[in-house]
Amino acid sequence: MAPKVDQVKSDPGLSQRYDELYSTDAFKSRLHNIVTTSRALLLLSAPGFGAAQYDPTNNSITVWQQSSVGVAKTNMELRDDIFFEMHNAKKSMAFNDLGGSKGYNRESLASGGIKKKAGYALATEWVEWANVAEFVILTALVNNQSTIGQLLPTPPVYQAAFAPGATCWLKFSNYLNAQLASGHTTTYDAAAAPPATGWLGKKILEALATKNKTDLEITSVEMAPPGSLNTRANPFTWGLLNTLQLT
């Protein structure tokens, strides 16, 4: 069994699926250490169906046994659940970073006004955008590195969204437009409700785009196989946004 998995309490079948993912360098180096720090990872199986969940309080991933159509999940689907939730754990840690060094904490958000709330919404959507891109890349890498056959579903979920076109997610602005239209951004700022025509976040993005395009766009080369996403810094820090002169 791969290191740092709770061998006593974890579901044996899920532990085996984890071992299969762990056999690839992409998983081992870029995901394993994200959630398996000082505590062993707990892999739990639950009856019925639902979206897999990572719980940071006990460093566990719960995977439901059935798909949404009520049939038992395949080994590939079980691996995909584990893989996706470990990747989401990385996103959660990036969210925690926003609450600390990036200047967005609950107390200041509550009293920070519309500018700070819009900035936080942009910052969190940016984290999710980068996370989705990396997930697409890592899925392809894991499959390419596997010596025991295809491990994860292909093409990766959301891969088509990064194909060239007017709404291509290579640009953060296009990803944001999709999230605004779906109502997802209201999770972080209620003022972003569709159609969000007067949302301050759009003005913030427009102002920042004139200063920083590098962190707001992904190149097609980065997304092409074998894929490698360059390190980017979240541009929507409160310190930077607070310097923008908006009209």
Side-chain angles (χ1 to χ4, degrees), residues 101-121:
S101 61
K102 299 299 184 296
Y104 296 104
N105 55 65
R106 292 181 179 179
E107 290 76 14
S108 65
L109 275 174
S111 60
I114 60 173
K115 186 176 182 180
K116 195 157 198 175
K117 290 177 182 177
Y120 178 74

Side-chain angles (χ1 to χ4, degrees), residues 218-231:
I218 297 171
T219 68
S220 56
V221 173
E222 290 176 280
M223 295 300 297
S228 180
L229 195 61
N230 294 331
T231 301

Side-chain angles (χ1 to χ4, degrees), residues 1 18 23 45 67 81 95 120 126 144 154 162 164 170 179 187 193 209:
M1 180 176 288
Y18 182 94
S23 68
S45 179
S67 68
D81 279 347
F95 283 169
Y120 178 74
W126 187 95
N144 289 341
T154 188
F162 290 92
L170 290 175
Q179 298 302 81
T187 304

Side-chain angles (χ1 to χ4, degrees), residues 79-96:
R79 284 190 294 264
D80 196 43
D81 279 347
I82 295 171
F83 182 74
F84 191 78
E85 285 312 307
M86 290 191 74
H87 197 66
N88 267 344
K90 179 181 179 182
K91 178 186 71 175
S92 297
M93 292 179 182
F95 283 169
N96 292 340

